[in-house]
Each structure stands twice: as C-alpha cells, then as structure tokens.
Amino acid sequence: MDILQPKYDVAIVGGGLAGLACAIRLRKGGNSVVLFEKEAFPFHRVCGEYISMESWDFLKQLGVPLDSMNLPKIDTLQLTAPKGTSFTTPLPLGGFGISRYTLDALLAAKAKEWGVHLLEETKVEEVVFNGDHTVSFTTKGGGRQEVNAMVCCAAWGKRSNLDVKWNRSFLSRQDKRLQNFVGIKYHLKADWPASTIGLHNFKDGYCGISRIEEGKYCLCYMVKADELKSRQGDIKRLEREVLSGNPHLKKLLAESGVLEGFPVTISQINFSPKTLVENHVLMIGDAAGMITPLCGNGMSIALHTGKIASDKIHHFLAGKTDRDTMERDYAREWKGQFAARLRRGRWLQWFFGSTGLSNAFVGAFKRFPFLASPVIRSTHGNLF
Ligand SMILES: Cc1cc2nc3c(=O)[nH]c(=O)nc-3n(C[C@H](O)[C@H](O)[C@H](O)COP(=O)(O)OP(=O)(O)OC[C@H]3O[C@@H](n4cnc5c(N)ncnc54)[C@H](O)[C@@H]3O)c2cc1C
C-alpha cells in the first residue's frame, strides 16, 4: 500500500457512485481525500443498470465520456402484471444503460487521476469521532491501520458491517413489507427492444430488463427472501416456480443466453428510513436511504447526494460554516430533495409487493394511461 498522509481533509467509506462522486468533487475543489473500498475495481454489483437522464450531465462533469460511449438510450417503459397484463408508456425523462462494472471503474480511474487516495481491498472496521475522525481499517494483506480526517462520509451502501456495529435504527424497524429482500442479476444476450425497459411483476417481487453497453442486457430482480429460502436457495427453481408465473418473464428466461460470471446476488435489502448524520459522519447514497428499485433512480440519487455532501463539506473546510451547520444543512437539503421521493417509492413497493394489487395497478394504467406519467414523475428529480 502506498504511503498514507497522517491526516486527510475527508475520509470516504465506500467506492460506489455516491462515494466516488463525492471524492472526485472534493478533490477537484482542492481538498485531500482518502477513499476506502473493500472490493477491487472493476467488479459486478447487483443493480438494474438503468440510469435516469437526471445524471447525464453530472457524470460528464465528473469525467465520464458518455457522449462517445455509444450507450443505449431508453425512452419507453413496458410494465407487466403477474398474470401477464401489459402496459407500455413513454418515459417522461428517460434514461440510458451502462453496467456498474464499467461505470464504477471509470469513476474510480477518474478519482485516482484527480489525486484521490483510493485504497481498494481495504475494509473499514470502525470510525470514531473525537474532534476529528479516526478511521480504522483492514488492509489487503490483513494488517490493521488507522488514519485521521476532519470529515467522514459513509458511502457504504445498503447495509455494511458498520451499520451493524453502530446498531443503526433502520435495522430494528418492524415493517416486514420493506425488509428482507434478495437481489439477483444477470448479464444476457436477449431479444428485447433496445430503447425499452421492462418491469415485470411476479409474486413477491419484480424484474427489470434493459440494454447496457456492447449489445448486452441486464436482467435484475428483487424478491422476498422467504421465496428463495423456502426453495433451499435454489435460484433456478425460484425462477421456474415463481418468476415464470408471469408469461413475459417465462419467455425471457427461457430464450435468453446468460453470460459467464452470472448471476451475482445480494441479500438483506431493506427500504426503511435511515438517519442522515450519525457520529458526525454524513451518510450519502444508499447509506442515507434507499429508494425502491422499481423507481429506477437509486443511482441518480446516490450521485446527487454525493454532490450535495461535497458542497457542504467544501464550505466547512473553507471555514465558511461550522460542523453543526454543515451537518444540519446537509440533512435539510437531503430531506428537501429526496424524502418525498423515497416515501413515494415505498408506497409503490407496497402495491407491487402484492400480486392482487399489482395486477390491479397495471390494469388501471391500461385503462387510464394518463395516470402513468405523473406517477413516474413523482419518484424522479430534475437534472442536477
Ligand atoms: C435489485 C436492485 C436493482 C436496482 N436497479 C437500479 C436501477 O436500475 N437504476 C438505479 O438507478 N438504481 C438501481 N438500484 C439502486 C442502486 O443500485 C443504488 O441506489 C446505488 O448503487 C447506491 O450507490 P451507493 O454508492 O450508495 O452504494 P453502492 O453502490 O452499494 O456502494 C457501496 C460501496 O461501499 C463498499 N463498502 C461497504 N462497506 C464497506 C467498508 N466497511 N469498507 C470499505 N468499503 C465498504 C461496498 O463494497 C460498495 O462498493 C437497484 C438496487 C437493487 C437492490
């Protein structure tokens, strides 16, 4: 591992979109930044890989050459109900497809180019605040080290070792409808229209399919963990017995060619509300709260939170605000931008979590198509 500075302006835990965006912006603003990521780039993560257009300009500002990447633009949504009813509608803002394998690695390379001290295969074990933050971490070789930073951001995603260690309140919330899902993702060769995202509902879950780079498709679904558990973790059986209840999914699963290295899976997905600042650490991305994936804009929210946090931190480090004000301003802006969107996402999740309601919902859209656009818009933001 290359030599660490004795102290950084900012330490960021987690190299997903929120952490990388925040790190790049702070470094561009002249702050010293250390970023910890427990994996090594590039790597696959569970994600539907459809990014709302909200993020297009912001990603270009971070240095991702989107204009020259020939990425698929997605402007249509096909929504299907568990029994197969289908409804197709234009997407008000639309989006584009790119794998996390490619996007995260590009941003990680940009972060390094700008001079972010990026430590891969390095897992943070604890963050303690005593005026500054002391971050303890385990290195690639297994050694334990510490570093200090004036500000710390938690960009560690949906659920991490530190959430458990800090006993964060969202872990003990009781609403079963928002907890304990598993996510499963494939890259595929498929016969599916390049400009359409499919959102196929099935009993206790839903599955997205859309195109990414190089003519590949990403198929990603989320389902209640009990459905997989009751089939002894047998994914193929789950797909045969549960997902294939939707005729559109049955056809897709039967006719698509899975690419090597898939599926990738995650468990313990939880959509309960979270705290925004804890132990003086600013929570960004999914660590601050996760919008339900059927809204298709968790990545944009993660990037946007990284932007907001970097602005507030930059002001604090420049001596324009004190720590309390930085924390309060961050939480206030986060709530203003995202709280209502996440609430509406949870509300939609309840509908799509039930087979009957989900059939009724798609049926209602089919009969009253003008309802679709405001519902989709209500979970999305604007360019940032
Ligand atoms: C099934 C599913 C489908 C989805 N589909 C879409 C979609 O199509 N479009 C969309 O916009 N959003 C989608 N999302 C949401 C989107 O994936 C997330 O909102 C987004 O990835 C959040 O980014 P993040 O940076 O907060 O976290 P992540 O991308 O999860 O990054 C967190 C990082 O922190 C690292 N980390 C964790 N703990 C530590 C530690 N202790 N030390 C060091 N590193 C650590 C992890 O390894 C990870 O790399 C989906 C989510 C799910 C579950």
Side-chain angles (χ1 to χ4, degrees):
M1 187 174 65
D2 45 355
I3 312 283
L4 283 165
Q5 288 177 207
K7 184 170 167 182
Y8 290 84
D9 293 329
V10 188
I12 298 178
V13 186
L17 297 180
L20 288 163
C22 189
I24 292 171
R25 291 192 92 244
L26 283 164
R27 187 68 203 112
K28 275 180 155 183
N31 305 115
S32 60
V33 183
V34 60
L35 173 72
F36 302 90
E37 171 51 55
K38 64 182 169 59
E39 309 292 337
F41 293 102
F43 62 98
H44 291 290
R45 333 170 172 263
V46 173
C47 179
E49 302 183 332
Y50 161 87
I51 310 197
S52 152
M53 267 308 179
E54 273 164 87
S55 300
W56 181 268
D57 289 351
F58 182 66
L59 282 168
K60 286 202 321 189
Q61 284 159 24
L62 294 178
V64 182
L66 291 176
D67 288 330
S68 60
M69 290 177 75
N70 195 24
L71 297 170
K73 300 276 173 45
I74 298 162
D75 58 15
T76 305
L77 167 71
Q78 185 194 13
L79 184 64
T80 73
K83 67 179 183 191
T85 316
S86 170
F87 167 73
T88 301
T89 182
L91 283 166
L93 190 58
F96 58 101
I98 180 171
S99 69
R100 295 297 297 272
Y101 187 89
T102 300
L103 179 59
D104 292 31
L106 273 170
L107 285 170
K110 284 290 160 202
K112 282 187 195 163
E113 251 174 68
W114 276 100
V116 171
H117 197 152
L118 173 53
L119 300 172
E120 299 176 56
E121 296 179 89
T122 304
K123 184 175 178 186
V124 171
E125 306 290 352
E126 186 53 293
V127 181
V128 174
F129 182 74
N130 40 23
D132 286 332
H133 295 273
T134 303
V135 181
S136 319
F137 56 93
T138 310
T139 61
K140 197 169 163 177
R144 194 74 179 247
Q145 289 198 32
E146 280 183 5
V147 77
N148 291 314
M150 286 176 70
V151 181
C152 182
C153 279
W156 54 56
K158 307 163 224 335
R159 179 189 167 102
S160 89
N161 56 325
L162 287 154
D163 290 321
V164 176
K165 194 166 243 172
W166 291 5
N167 197 17
R168 288 184 72 198
S169 53
F170 76 91
L171 294 173
S172 51
R173 286 193 178 241
Q174 295 301 321
D175 192 341
K176 292 223 162 28
R177 289 172 302 180
L178 296 175
Q179 292 166 0
N180 211 9
F181 293 90
V182 292
I184 296 172
K185 172 175 110 170
Y186 296 94
H187 281 175
L188 306 164
K189 290 284 173 203
D191 180 17
W192 183 261
S195 59
T196 298
I197 178 167
L199 182 61
H200 301 295
N201 292 278
F202 56 87
K203 178 176 173 284
D204 288 338
Y206 46 83
C207 174
I209 177 164
S210 53
R211 192 162 165 134
I212 51 169
E213 69 271 17
E214 295 165 2
K216 293 180 283 192
Y217 285 83
C218 174
L219 181 141
C220 183
Y221 62 90
M222 204 183 70
V223 60
K224 284 190 183 149
D226 287 346
E227 291 286 1
L228 186 58
K229 201 168 149 204
S230 65
R231 290 171 180 80
Q232 290 73 47
D234 185 339
I235 291 177
K236 286 285 154 229
R237 199 175 142 205
L238 174 78
E239 290 169 359
R240 234 181 10 254
E241 294 179 1
V242 183
L243 278 77
S244 296
N246 178 325
H248 300 272
L249 271 178
K250 185 175 182 179
K251 183 168 182 296
L252 262 173
L253 290 167
E255 293 176 0
S256 304
V258 174
L259 300 179
E260 212 181 309
F262 293 92
V264 287
T265 62
I266 46 165
S267 60
Q268 297 185 308
I269 306 171
N270 179 325
F271 301 105
S272 299
K274 296 178 177 174
T275 47
L276 300 173
V277 181
E278 208 151 318
N279 301 333
H280 297 279
V281 173
L282 302 191
M283 304 286 158
I284 60 176
D286 282 357
M290 193 179 168
I291 191 159
T292 50
L294 60 85
C295 302
N297 61 4
M299 286 191 272
S300 292
I301 291 181
L303 289 162
H304 197 168
T305 60
K307 180 180 187 204
I308 295 171
S310 63
D311 287 342
K312 305 298 175 208
I313 295 168
H314 190 65
H315 269 81
F316 167 66
L317 292 171
K320 293 181 186 158
T321 50
D322 59 21
R323 190 181 290 280
D324 284 348
T325 312
M326 168 184 73
E327 293 175 5
R328 234 188 358 260
D329 284 356
Y330 172 69
R332 189 184 305 123
E333 190 160 346
W334 190 100
K335 283 180 190 154
Q337 288 283 351
F338 311 115
R341 286 165 70 183
L342 265 66
R343 233 181 359 257
R344 289 183 206 115
R346 284 194 286 274
W347 180 78
L348 282 176
Q349 175 79 31
W350 289 331
F351 267 96
F352 287 108
S354 139
T355 305
L357 284 176
S358 166
N359 281 325
F361 209 80
V362 180
F365 274 172
K366 218 174 151 66
R367 271 197 304 282
F368 309 108
F370 59 88
L371 290 177
S373 185
V375 172
I376 297 168
R377 265 188 222 280
S378 74
T379 60
H380 281 67
N382 299 315
L383 295 178
F384 55 90

